[in-house]
Amino acid sequence: MKKIAISQSNYIPWVGYFDMIGRVDEFILQDDVQYTPKNWRNRNMIKTPSGEQWLTIPVKKSADNRINSTVVVPGWTKKHLKALLVNYKKTKYFDLVYPWLEEIYAKANNLKFLSEINFLFLHEICEKLTFDTKLSYSTEYFTQKELNMMDKNEEMLKLCQKTNATGYITGPSAQVHMNLSILTKNNVPIEVMNYSYYEAYPQLFGEFIQNVTILDLLLNLGFEKSFNYMKS
């Protein structure tokens, strides 16, 4: 049995994104598609005394605006680290997690493309969560020219076939935006993630907020308790 999931890469995504990664054998980043501004590709939220605050990676405008071609504007890492320091220095596991984050941001500071940065954070966080899921790109299976000739449903099916997938896991929104029946017609069972019953965990600054970056979870619970928190 081999389960896969396909998703566009996000910047330090929320816990549900990682729960999907933890449920599959291979997680394919569909970074050949168009970059969408004001979305999760280059930004995510942290919790502050004033509520949610965006951490955004600035990117350069380009005629070729695929995610894997999107170039970042240098100098963003210090601002993000400072925001994490100011808002999370009183969390229980700050002294454990923050130095590790400094190392990742130092690596990210030397990367040119948004897709590389997103992959770096995904990989490093998955390692700390002890996930053994394979992370890959859609362009490892098809050339960009081949991908350009497929619609999103055909690409989903062909990636399942190319990876010999015997199961496919997806988020709830895909039921609206994708034709998932193309998989069941080709004998690939589908599992839809249920994000509705995460428990609250200890956070700073009042009422619990779920839809923030997973860094919030790691800084408040540490690595081991964060692993145990995951549904997967």
Side-chain angles (χ1 to χ4, degrees), residues 110-125:
N110 297 318
L111 299 177
K112 177 181 179 181
F113 293 101
L114 175 63
S115 186
E116 296 176 316
I117 294 167
N118 288 347
F119 186 94
L120 170 66
F121 277 92
L122 291 178
H123 177 265
E124 296 287 344
I125 294 170

Side-chain angles (χ1 to χ4, degrees), residues 23 170 172 192-198 231:
R23 287 177 181 267
T170 187
V192 180
M193 292 289 292
N194 181 358
Y195 297 134
S196 63
Y197 52 92
Y198 284 109
K231 296 179 185 179

Side-chain angles (χ1 to χ4, degrees), residues 154-166:
E154 183 182 9
E155 180 177 345
M156 175 178 63
L157 173 61
K158 289 194 173 182
L159 282 170
C160 286
Q161 294 171 335
K162 200 81 170 180
T163 57
N164 298 311
T166 54

Side-chain angles (χ1 to χ4, degrees), residues 1 3-4 160 165-169 183-184 186-191:
M1 295 287 291
K3 290 184 178 180
I4 74 165
C160 286
T166 54
Y168 184 80
I169 298 182
L183 297 183
T184 54
N186 284 273
N187 301 312
V188 181
I190 299 165
E191 178 184 339

